[in-house]
């Protein structure tokens, strides 16, 4: 046996190690091998037993604390930090028996290695779950926000340091402050992703905006770090070049291989069992390589994770196999052991220059908050802008890992490490509680950008998400898509979603049919084949993607809105829950899908259209082949226009349909008849507001007519109506004159044209006019599209 002195991780003391290490002891009730050693003390000398006890204590205490604290809005990371404070030198490690037997110095190598491996696994999973495509879909505002929230706080923070440079006692302290300013200025994707997961905001518009912004900020911060590496290290250029080369290798070599594996996997099946272990082995190689390049070792698995295609079947397989043990055991292990390194209690009375260090941290955080708030206020509601600014100021496991790395390499002193741990702890206590208090989860899909037909710019792709509940909806939906008249200048993007009720299985499934090979027995095979044929027929103007969601009815609206948010669609198409027969009579009604439609109308991040067909639309035959011959059959469409956002949306859809030569479009403008007595009965303020809205509606209609003025197949009619009953009578008279009606939902709008009809509505989701056209008493075979414009967030 030999003994050697070594520096350990928790405290910088000289400790004697015994080699070879004793992996196992003789047990609690076995005689001690060494005389005079109690059996219990001898049991703690076994490395395996001691490691198991340490992990058990950490996991149990972390979860026990979180069980009580989560009711106060505390996230699990904060509970784990508090567990580290309790188990570390701040509290329990002050006692000799605990320090010598439960967490002795000689056991720290095994514990720290296990914890660091867990952190690398966490970073790998974070990269796998991230959709790197959100960076390409980020708008100009998000790009500016992500860059500015890193650079501006960093420059302002450095300027603040130079104004108080005399307060720093030495060069080391000044370098520590500069480094801390850089860390406080950055916002990292792993921290924001973990926070959004804890607060259940990942699939919200605000959460996705925060993730996109943090991803851009992380790239800017990584670029600055690589630049610092080049400047400060002798072989900095070589290290930075090799690091960048490994990232490019993952993106352009490993990712195509993984995409090929996914393509070889039959639809609905899992990837080969060897794929996940092999991918984990590559992640370990990347960890070793980044460590050799003097970079953070955990960033290697994170870079590899970014290259893994997210979602099923490969990304979901990696997450399912590793997430539980990582988030429940290894992640808490890393956080707790990191916090255990510092004595947070002694920091308050032993650490000098607390005011200087503390003011620097506060200055960087406040600056970052104000920069984000100032840049986001012009295009976001005030409250949501404050929430986004708080998210961008959040700190967590990444910052803790950076401070831990520099503390272990003696780049920073003990007091400075303790200060930053306290700052991270306070940050993770305050920010999640404020976010929960300020954010309204009922607006999880509320949009900050206009995603509707009315706001769609010329020469822009129209993205539509048609939902298919039953096979009967396929043909009518495709015929409705034909009315959008896509061209090469104004292409159409279709993301067809087949919704299937979850029966006979416990786990919901979401399948992207572009990634995997379709199988003949797929429940969505009819949908896939129909839309693939539609894409081939319109190959030069339309791109099609098909998806299947198998879930309970109460969760279908979330799947629909999440996909609409992810694909940034402008129009959602939902089939009506009532089915009509060939004779125009009602055959059946599915109230479960009616509930789904109602939820989507309330939550959708874009405009929504509810479509029902009485049979005429299914049998529609487009006879125009694009040549010069005149079509032998005209399909008649009528848009009923009374004003308001929903009617603007219906008018925009009709304008696109007017380009179809086999279609005759009638724009029926219903205006209120003059009634002085009624005008005198309303307040002047309301009368002025109504006049302003009516003027705007006239302007919108005039611009629309100007855009289609040269088309011979468009007719404009104007009818004056006194009240709702007269409107209902007019609708009944013209119901059989057209094959399709396009109307706005006009939910919550009061007007003379619909006065007295709301109380008699059977289907509120269709609005007043749509409900009239859907009435079972109306003997007609006409089809109807009811449009609701995107609900904008009020500022």
């Amino acid at each position: 046996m030999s003994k050697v002195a070594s520096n350990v991780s928790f405290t910088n003391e000289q400790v004697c190690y015994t080699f070879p290490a004793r992996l196992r002891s003789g047990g609690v009730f076995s005689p001690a091998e060494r005389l005079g050693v109690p059996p219990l003390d001898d049991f703690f000398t076994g490395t395996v037993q001691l490691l198991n006890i340490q992990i058990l204590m950490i996991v149990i205490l972390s979860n026990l604390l979180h069980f009580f604290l989560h009711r106060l809005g505390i996230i699990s990371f904060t509970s784990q930090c508090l567990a580290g404070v309790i188990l570390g030198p701040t509290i329990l490690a002050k006692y000799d028996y605990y320090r010598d037997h439960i967490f002795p110095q000689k056991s720290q190598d095994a514990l720290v290695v296990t914890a660091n491996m867990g952190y690398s696994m966490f970073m790998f999973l974070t990269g796998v779950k991230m959709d790197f495509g959100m960076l390409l879909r980020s708008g100009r505002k998000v790009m500016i926000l992500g860059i500015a929230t890193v650079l501006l706080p960093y420059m302002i923070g450095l300027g603040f340091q130079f104004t108080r440079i005399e307060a720093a006692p030495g060069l080391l302290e000044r370098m520590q402050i500069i480094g801390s300013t850089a860390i406080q200025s950055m916002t990292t994707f792993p921290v924001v992703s973990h926070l959004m997961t804890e607060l259940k905001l990942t699939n919200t518009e605000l959460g996705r905006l925060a993730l996109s912004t943090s991803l851009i900020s992380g790239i800017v911060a990584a670029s600055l770090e690589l630049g610092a590496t080049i400047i400060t290290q002798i072989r900095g250029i070589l290290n930075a070049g090799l690091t960048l080369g490994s990232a490019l290798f993952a993106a352009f070599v490993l990712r195509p291989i993984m995409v090929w594996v996914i393509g070889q996997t039959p639809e609905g099946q899992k990837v080969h069992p060897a794929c996940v272990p092999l991918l984990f082995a590559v992640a370990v190689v990347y960890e070793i390589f980044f460590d050799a390049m003097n970079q953070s070792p955990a960033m290697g698995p994170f870079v590899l994770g970014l290259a893994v295609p997210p979602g099923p079947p490969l990304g979901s397989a990696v997450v399912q196999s590793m997430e539980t043990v990582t988030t429940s055991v290894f992640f808490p292990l890393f956080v707790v052991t990191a916090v255990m390194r510092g004595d947070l209690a002694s920091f308050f009375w032993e650490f000098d220059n607390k005011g200087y260090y503390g003011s620097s941290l506060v200055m960087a955080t406040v600056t970052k908050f104000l920069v984000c708030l100032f840049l986001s206020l012009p295009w976001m509601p005030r409250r949501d802008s404050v929430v986004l600014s708080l998210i961008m100021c959040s700190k967590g496991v990444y910052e803790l890992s950076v401070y831990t790395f520099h503390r272990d390499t003696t780049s920073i002193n003990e007091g400075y490490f303790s200060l930053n741990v306290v700052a991270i702890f306070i940050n993770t206590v305050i920010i999640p509680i404020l976010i929960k208090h300020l954010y309204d989860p009922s607006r999880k899909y509320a949009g900050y950008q206009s995603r509707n037909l009315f706001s769609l710019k010329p020469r822009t792709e129209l993205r539509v998400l048609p939902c298919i509940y039953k096979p009967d909806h396929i043909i009518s939906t495709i015929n409705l898509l034909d009315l959008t008249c896509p061209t090469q200048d104004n292409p159409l993007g279709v993301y067809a979603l087949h919704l299937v009720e979850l029966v006979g299985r416990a786990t919901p499934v979401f399948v992207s049919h572009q990634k995997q090979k379709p199988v003949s027995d797929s429940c969505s095979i009819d949908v896939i084949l129909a839309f693939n044929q539609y894409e081939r027929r319109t190959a030069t103007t339309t791109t099609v993607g098909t998806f299947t969601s198998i879930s309970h009815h109460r969760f279908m609206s979330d799947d629909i809105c999440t996909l609409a948010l992810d694909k940034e669609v402008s129009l959602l198409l939902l089939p009506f829950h009532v089915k009509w027969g060939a004779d125009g009579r009602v055959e059946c009604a599915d109230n479960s899908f009616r509930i789904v439609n109602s939820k989507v109308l309330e939550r959708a991040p874009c405009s929504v259209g509810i479509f029902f067909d009485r049979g005429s639309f299914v049998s529609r035959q487009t006879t125009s082949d694009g040549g010069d011959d005149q079509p032998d059959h005209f399909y008649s469409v009528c848009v009923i226009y009374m004003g308001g956002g929903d009617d603007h949306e219906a008018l925009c859809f009709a304008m696109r349909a007017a380009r179809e030569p086999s279609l005759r479009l009638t724009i029926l403008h219903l205006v209120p008849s003059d009634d002085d007595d009624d005008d005198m009965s309303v307040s002047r303020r309301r009368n002025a507001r109504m006049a302003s809205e009516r003027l705007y509606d006239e302007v919108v209609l005039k611009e629309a007519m100007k855009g289609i003025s040269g088309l011979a197949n468009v007719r404009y009619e104007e009818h004056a109506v006194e009240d709702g009953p007269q409107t209902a009578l007019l609708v009944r008279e013209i119901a059989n004159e057209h094959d399709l009606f396009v109307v706005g939902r006009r939910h919550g709008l009061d007007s003379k044209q619909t006065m007295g009809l709301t109380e008699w509505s059977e289907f509120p989701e269709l609005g007043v006019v749509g409900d009239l056209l859907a009435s079972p008493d109306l003997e007609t075979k006409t089809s109807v599209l009811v449009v609701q414009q995107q609900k904008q967030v009020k500022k």
Side-chain angles (χ1 to χ4, degrees):
M1 300 239 258
S2 62
K3 297 183 178 181
V4 62
S6 174
N7 275 326
V8 294
S9 300
F10 288 173
T11 57
N12 293 323
E13 300 176 2
Q14 298 294 320
V15 179
C16 292
Y17 281 167
T18 301
F19 293 102
R22 226 179 142 202
L23 295 181
R24 293 186 177 274
S25 66
V28 176
F29 300 105
S30 299
E33 295 182 4
R34 291 166 293 171
L35 296 178
V37 179
L40 185 60
D41 291 355
D42 184 70
F43 175 76
F44 286 127
T45 60
T47 303
V48 175
Q49 288 95 335
L50 193 56
L51 181 62
N52 289 336
I53 291 174
Q54 291 169 344
I55 294 176
L56 186 65
M57 289 183 63
I58 290 173
V59 173
I60 290 178
L61 182 59
S62 300
N63 286 276
L64 186 63
L65 289 172
H66 189 59
F67 176 78
F68 293 103
L69 295 178
H70 82 278
R71 294 173 172 82
L72 303 176
I74 302 297
I75 62 175
S76 62
F77 175 81
T78 310
S79 301
Q80 293 155 11
C81 289
L82 185 58
V85 173
I86 295 174
L87 296 176
T90 307
I91 299 179
L92 290 180
K94 292 184 179 298
Y95 299 97
D96 293 339
Y97 185 86
Y98 173 88
R99 186 175 61 250
D100 295 338
H101 293 85
I102 307 300
F103 283 94
Q105 296 284 358
K106 63 181 181 180
S107 71
Q108 293 177 13
D109 282 349
L111 183 61
V112 169
V113 168
T114 306
N116 288 339
M117 181 185 69
Y119 178 61
S120 298
M121 291 173 62
F122 167 78
M123 293 292 288
F124 177 57
L125 285 179
T126 301
V128 170
K129 290 186 285 187
M130 188 188 108
D131 182 9
F132 201 76
M134 70 173 63
L135 178 64
L136 303 177
R137 298 191 296 269
S138 299
R140 182 175 57 89
K141 296 176 182 177
V142 178
M143 285 284 187
I144 294 174
L145 188 63
I147 297 172
T149 50
V150 174
L151 296 181
L152 291 181
Y154 183 62
M155 291 187 292
I156 295 174
L158 287 182
F160 175 75
Q161 300 307 324
F162 286 122
T163 60
R164 303 187 59 197
I165 195 169
E166 69 280 353
L171 178 61
L172 176 61
E173 286 76 9
R174 295 173 186 172
M175 295 302 297
Q176 289 178 163
I177 290 295
I178 293 175
S180 177
T181 301
I183 295 174
Q184 292 295 321
S185 301
M186 67 175 62
T187 302
T188 58
F189 181 86
V191 172
V192 174
S193 175
H194 186 256
L195 179 62
M196 295 298 95
T197 302
E198 288 272 350
L199 299 179
K200 296 181 175 59
L201 299 179
T202 303
N203 288 328
T204 66
E205 177 80 344
L206 180 65
R208 289 170 181 260
L209 178 62
L211 290 172
S212 301
T213 308
S214 65
L215 176 59
I216 296 170
S217 297
I219 292 176
V220 174
S223 302
L224 294 176
E225 185 177 354
L226 279 178
T229 301
I230 295 174
I231 296 173
T232 58
Q233 297 182 12
I234 298 176
R235 298 183 178 179
I237 297 178
L238 179 61
N239 290 346
L242 291 175
T243 302
L244 182 60
S246 67
L248 296 177
F249 180 81
F252 296 104
V253 178
L254 297 181
R255 183 180 176 87
I257 294 176
M258 289 183 275
V259 171
W260 178 83
V261 171
I262 292 174
Q264 298 303 308
T265 304
E267 179 186 304
Q269 301 295 319
K270 296 182 178 180
V271 294
H272 193 277
C275 292
V276 175
L278 183 61
L279 198 56
F280 180 74
V282 178
V284 174
V285 172
Y286 262 72
E287 181 181 12
I288 297 173
F289 179 80
F290 269 63
D291 192 17
M293 294 297 103
N294 200 29
Q295 303 293 325
S296 174
M299 290 305 296
F302 178 72
V303 169
L304 177 65
L306 294 177
V308 178
L314 183 57
S316 59
V318 173
V319 173
Q320 290 173 3
S321 61
M322 299 174 59
E323 185 172 35
T324 300
V325 67
T326 299
T327 58
S328 302
V329 179
F330 289 114
F331 182 77
L333 196 63
F334 174 79
V335 176
V336 172
T337 54
V339 176
M340 287 176 65
R341 286 167 164 83
D343 186 356
L344 307 188
S346 62
F347 148 75
F348 288 99
W349 55 80
E350 293 182 4
F351 182 51
D352 297 329
N353 297 307
K354 290 189 289 289
Y356 176 67
Y357 281 82
S359 62
S360 302
L361 296 178
V362 172
M363 180 65 184
T365 303
V366 171
T367 303
K368 189 176 185 67
F369 177 85
L370 294 177
V371 168
C372 185
L373 185 66
F374 176 77
L375 292 177
S376 60
L377 268 178
W379 51 278
M380 287 184 67
R382 287 186 296 271
R383 175 169 289 199
D384 289 353
S385 181
V386 172
V387 173
L388 178 63
S389 302
L390 289 172
I391 294 173
M392 297 304 292
C393 292
S394 60
K395 302 301 172 187
V397 65
Y398 180 81
E399 290 78 14
L400 182 62
S401 68
V402 172
Y403 290 126
T404 301
F405 173 79
H406 288 295
R407 182 263 179 201
D408 291 344
T409 56
T410 65
S411 299
I412 60 176
N413 55 41
E414 295 289 338
Y416 184 69
F417 172 78
S418 299
L419 167 69
N420 286 281
V421 171
V422 171
I424 292 174
F425 180 79
I426 295 174
N427 181 289
T428 57
V429 169
I430 296 176
I431 287 183
I433 294 177
L434 290 177
I435 292 174
K436 285 188 174 182
H437 176 71
L438 293 172
Y439 182 70
D440 182 7
S442 64
R443 296 177 14 221
K444 62 184 297 186
Y445 297 112
Y448 308 119
Q449 298 177 354
S450 296
R451 297 191 183 121
N452 51 62
L453 299 177
F454 184 73
S455 303
L456 199 65
K457 297 179 180 179
R459 299 180 180 273
T460 304
E461 181 186 41
L462 170 61
R463 297 187 176 188
V464 182
L465 197 161
C467 296
I468 307 296
Y469 295 152
K470 298 178 181 180
D472 301 337
H473 302 146
I474 298 176
I475 298 177
S476 59
T477 300
I478 290 178
N479 287 336
L480 186 63
L481 292 173
D482 280 332
L483 292 184
T484 60
C485 299
T487 63
Q488 291 184 352
D489 292 334
N490 297 281
L492 176 67
V494 179
Y495 303 95
L497 176 61
H498 184 206
L499 293 125
V500 182
E501 183 181 5
L502 183 65
V503 178
R505 61 192 305 169
T507 306
V509 176
F510 189 90
V511 181
S512 172
H513 298 289
Q514 289 72 248
K515 292 183 178 180
Q516 297 180 250
K517 292 192 303 183
V519 294
S520 58
D521 60 346
S522 171
C523 61
S524 302
I525 190 64
D526 293 338
V527 178
I528 298 171
L529 294 177
F531 278 93
N532 285 348
Q533 183 180 5
Y534 172 70
E535 184 178 26
R536 287 193 295 269
R537 178 165 61 86
T538 59
T540 59
T541 60
T542 305
T543 57
V544 176
T546 52
F547 305 84
T548 297
S549 171
I550 305 176
S551 63
H552 295 287
H553 281 111
R554 62 180 181 271
F555 299 128
M556 284 183 179
S557 60
D558 289 327
D559 293 336
I560 295 172
C561 293
T562 300
L563 184 61
L565 194 64
D566 184 54
K567 299 302 180 182
E568 298 181 354
V569 302
S570 298
L571 179 63
L572 259 168
L573 292 178
L574 303 173
F576 193 46
H577 71 281
V578 176
K579 178 184 177 182
W580 279 268
D583 57 354
R585 297 182 181 274
V586 175
E587 285 189 356
C588 62
D590 192 336
N591 286 324
S592 59
F593 285 119
R594 183 183 184 184
I595 295 174
V596 173
N597 289 348
S598 299
K599 289 182 177 179
V600 172
L601 285 171
E602 291 297 321
R603 305 176 181 179
C606 60
S607 295
V608 181
I610 295 183
F611 172 72
F612 63 87
D613 173 55
R614 283 193 171 96
S616 63
F617 210 60
V618 173
S619 60
R620 171 179 177 251
Q621 299 294 328
T622 304
T623 57
S624 175
D625 59 359
D628 297 331
D629 296 333
Q630 196 73 7
D632 56 8
H633 171 73
F634 285 97
Y635 191 77
S636 178
V637 177
C638 176
V639 54
I640 300 178
Y641 182 82
M642 290 179 279
D646 295 348
D647 281 8
H648 298 166
E649 203 74 358
L651 185 63
C652 289
F653 184 89
M655 289 171 58
R656 296 182 70 96
R659 295 196 296 263
E660 170 62 50
S662 64
L663 180 143
R664 284 179 175 172
L665 174 65
T666 300
I667 300 176
L668 182 59
H669 186 195
L670 300 184
V671 297
S673 60
D674 294 332
D675 190 343
D676 296 337
D677 294 335
D678 183 72
D679 288 344
M680 292 296 295
S681 64
V682 296
S683 65
R684 292 184 178 179
R685 179 178 298 179
R686 183 186 176 191
N687 199 19
R689 179 177 58 84
M690 293 175 62
S692 175
E693 292 175 352
R694 188 180 303 176
L695 179 62
Y696 180 67
D697 294 334
E698 293 288 346
V699 171
V700 172
L701 180 60
K702 187 177 296 184
E703 289 296 323
M705 295 301 298
K706 186 186 299 183
I708 55 177
S709 59
L711 300 178
N713 60 335
V714 179
R715 183 178 62 178
Y716 174 78
E717 295 181 6
E718 184 174 306
H719 287 266
V721 293
E722 296 181 357
D723 52 19
Q726 190 171 356
T727 299
L729 183 62
L730 177 62
V731 169
R732 285 180 174 274
E733 291 176 355
I734 65 173
N736 289 303
E737 297 179 5
H738 305 282
D739 299 304
L740 173 68
F741 281 90
V742 183
V743 299
R745 187 186 178 207
R746 296 177 54 82
H747 182 66
L749 290 181
D750 297 326
S751 63
K752 291 181 60 177
Q753 300 97 308
T754 59
M755 187 179 300
L757 295 180
T758 306
E759 295 79 4
W760 301 96
S761 292
E762 183 180 359
F763 305 114
E765 62 269 30
L766 297 180
V768 174
V769 180
D771 181 77
L772 287 174
L773 293 167
S775 174
D777 300 331
L778 194 66
E779 296 182 359
T780 179
K781 290 187 177 182
T782 188
S783 302
V784 179
L785 173 64
V786 180
V787 185
Q788 173 186 279
Q789 193 178 55
Q790 174 195 17
K791 290 185 175 181
Q792 294 291 331
V793 177
K794 295 181 180 180
K795 296 188 177 182

